[in-house]
Amino acid sequence: MSDYSIAEKLASLRTAKGVTQEDVAQSLSVSNKTISKWEKGTSMPDLPMLASLSKYYGVTTDSILGLSDGEEKSTKEEVRALFCGLDRKASVLKAFEAVRAIVPAIFGTVSKYSDDVNDGEEVFPKNTSRYHRSHISLHEFFEFSASSENVNIAVMMLRNKANFSWLKDPGTQKEITRLFRFLSSEDALSVLYFIHSTECSESFTADYIARNTGVSEERVDELLNEFCAVGECNRVTAHLVEGEVKVYECFGDGILLSLISLAFERMCGRRAYEFNYSGRCKMIGGK
């Protein structure tokens, strides 16, 4: 790209942003004359300043240099570019790598602008009137997502080297069935609903939960003790004048909510899919 074209690009970016040369100069700690020279093409910014300009205008340095059109790609286009030219094995591994990179990327971005990521803003994924789910089943890869008024969830599971051999271990079976046995009670679902609602404090007693759910205090105490054994819930004993009181603490259990959400989608969700590739999902056995 010629110096003149770069100058035109810088001028158009400033105009689009609605700022003056003085505004740009102050933001970049340079003089008005410097900005004027850049936009006239009589001089050019060096590489460090190009990086500062790209950040200021919210574009890439390639865009300023004319190496790209500068248009922001959609998420679908960016993801497609990640998988371009990969074979099936590399694609599956890349998908897992991308999911694992999302949270660090979010926190890395948020931390630049705010010390508190819990700003209280309510965010809901977009859902459409008809098709709101996607579903992929392969021998070694399963993906499911749903976006609706009731449930917003995305799940991805890859084959493991153990080929799920732990699923036939008696000790493991006992622990897994313990969790599902806990979730199989309507009383447990009622208690979990209230604990995860914004109406419930993070510290509570069995009596408090009982009064707000209609479940007997004795039954609530039984369920909370089991919740402490299978979920994210802690129990301490408070020594009061009236005597000892068991106090429970829970900030929420995302894994349990995910299991319940998946159960809801399986039993009560819609069967329509925006995207559906339903091959085989036998991820046990074989090489």
Side-chain angles (χ1 to χ4, degrees):
M1 191 177 195
S2 68
D3 290 351
Y4 185 72
S5 297
I6 294 175
E8 284 186 324
K9 183 67 175 179
L10 291 175
S12 65
L13 287 171
R14 180 176 57 77
T15 301
K17 192 176 177 69
V19 294
T20 65
Q21 289 184 346
E22 183 178 355
D23 293 330
V24 181
Q26 289 180 352
S27 297
L28 301 181
S29 300
V30 297
S31 68
N32 292 12
K33 289 183 179 180
T34 300
I35 301 299
S36 178
K37 288 180 180 179
W38 290 348
E39 294 187 0
K40 289 179 179 178
T42 56
S43 69
M44 284 292 108
D46 57 19
L47 287 177
M49 191 54 69
L50 273 175
S52 297
L53 283 165
S54 67
K55 184 176 181 181
Y56 178 76
Y57 288 123
V59 298
T60 64
T61 53
D62 283 355
S63 173
I64 294 176
L65 294 172
L67 301 177
S68 70
D69 55 18
E71 295 182 1
E72 184 177 347
K73 294 182 179 180
S74 67
T75 301
K76 184 180 292 186
E77 290 173 328
E78 291 181 347
V79 171
R80 188 183 297 275
L82 285 176
F83 293 86
C84 182
L86 299 181
D87 60 21
R88 174 169 168 162
K89 178 179 179 181
S91 296
V92 170
L93 296 177
K94 177 63 74 173
F96 187 67
E97 181 184 348
V99 171
R100 293 293 298 271
I102 288 175
V103 171
I106 292 174
F107 276 85
T109 301
V110 171
S111 63
K112 296 178 182 177
Y113 304 103
S114 172
D115 293 331
D116 184 11
V117 295
N118 299 310
D119 57 11
E121 181 181 2
E122 295 182 341
V123 181
F124 302 99
K126 178 181 178 181
N127 65 83
T128 56
S129 58
R130 288 189 62 195
Y131 306 110
H132 60 273
R133 292 145 61 101
S134 67
H135 180 195
I136 299 174
S137 291
L138 303 173
H139 282 294
E140 72 279 68
F141 177 83
F142 173 80
E143 181 275 340
F144 172 79
S145 63
S147 180
S148 68
E149 184 177 329
N150 295 312
V151 172
N152 290 306
I153 190 169
V155 176
M156 187 172 75
M157 178 173 63
L158 277 73
R159 189 172 192 162
N160 55 78
K161 290 185 177 181
N163 283 324
F164 293 89
S165 59
W166 42 265
L167 195 54
K168 61 183 180 181
D169 176 70
T172 301
Q173 290 175 353
K174 184 177 181 180
E175 290 301 309
I176 293 174
T177 54
R178 182 181 183 182
L179 172 59
F180 284 110
R181 191 178 299 115
F182 167 67
L183 293 174
S184 66
S185 162
E186 294 178 5
D187 287 344
L189 294 180
S190 296
V191 168
L192 287 174
Y193 163 73
F194 182 70
I195 289 176
H196 285 85
S197 72
T198 55
E199 298 175 18
C200 183
S201 61
E202 294 175 344
S203 297
F204 45 83
T205 61
D207 173 63
Y208 171 73
I209 299 297
R211 283 187 280 108
N212 285 278
T213 60
V215 181
S216 70
E217 183 177 348
E218 181 180 1
R219 176 60 173 153
V220 169
D221 189 59
E222 176 185 337
L223 289 170
L224 290 178
N225 285 325
E226 187 63 21
F227 185 21
C228 289
V230 300
E232 293 292 330
C233 185
N234 300 313
R235 179 182 62 246
V236 296
T237 301
H239 300 278
L240 307 177
V241 176
E242 299 82 1
E244 294 184 347
V245 177
K246 284 189 290 186
V247 179
Y248 299 88
E249 182 180 63
C250 178
F251 301 104
D253 190 322
I255 290 181
L256 285 188
L257 286 180
S258 297
L259 287 173
I260 294 171
S261 296
L262 286 171
F264 173 85
E265 280 298 306
R266 167 58 70 188
M267 304 307 295
C268 310
R270 299 171 65 181
R271 299 295 179 180
Y273 293 93
E274 181 179 17
F275 180 83
N276 183 26
Y277 180 83
S278 189
R280 301 291 185 267
C281 195
K282 289 191 174 183
M283 294 188 284
I284 301 178
K287 295 293 183 180

